[in-house]
Amino acid sequence: MCIRKTKKENSYGQCPKCQKSEIVKRKAKVGNIYPCSNEDCDFIIFGKMFGRNLPDNTVKELIEKGQTQSKVKGFISRSGKKYDAYLEMNKEYSVRLKFDK
């Protein structure tokens, strides 16, 4: 994956996986990505998930709290139907959908 560094990398908080480095926003061919700044850590959140671009504040909340406090609106299923869901990080630090709180 080719990652272009931006002139100013904004911090989105401490990496929940390695607890050593900061999460930064970068532009990539796939859109915005939020990787750990530690090259030895493989933590990353993609800015587009489940058919929807995630707002920066949603990504920051997910990093800081491990889940969103309210449902994120406008996800799109493979069949084209829209739905709302919470986002949360599992034990492997992957983002998943959660439909009930």
Side-chain angles (χ1 to χ4, degrees):
M1 176 181 340
C2 178
I3 299 173
R4 291 182 284 143
K5 292 184 179 180
T6 58
K7 289 181 182 178
K8 182 180 179 185
E9 295 180 336
N10 296 322
S11 173
Y12 283 75
Q14 186 177 30
C15 177
K17 188 171 184 178
C18 74
Q19 301 285 314
K20 295 178 184 175
S21 299
E22 298 289 313
I23 301 299
V24 293
K25 179 179 179 178
R26 295 188 179 160
K27 301 263 184 208
K29 290 182 179 181
V30 295
N32 291 332
I33 58 172
Y34 303 84
C36 179
S37 59
N38 178 357
E39 292 181 7
D40 295 328
C41 180
D42 62 355
F43 179 83
I44 189 168
I45 293 178
F46 290 92
K48 185 171 185 175
M49 301 184 163
F50 311 108
R52 185 187 193 292
N53 288 318
L54 299 178
D56 288 345
N57 61 337
T58 300
V59 173
K60 191 166 189 167
E61 180 180 26
L62 190 56
I63 291 166
E64 290 175 353
K65 298 180 180 174
Q67 63 183 14
T68 56
Q69 300 301 305
S70 58
K71 283 188 176 181
V72 179
K73 298 182 183 291
F75 291 118
I76 303 170
S77 71
R78 289 185 179 148
S79 63
K81 292 183 181 181
K82 288 191 176 184
Y83 60 95
D84 304 336
Y86 298 97
L87 292 175
E88 72 173 7
M89 256 186 276
N90 63 18
K91 293 176 185 176
E92 291 81 33
Y93 301 98
S94 295
V95 178
R96 68 181 196 133
L97 295 170
K98 184 176 179 182
F99 294 96
D100 295 319
K101 203 155 191 181

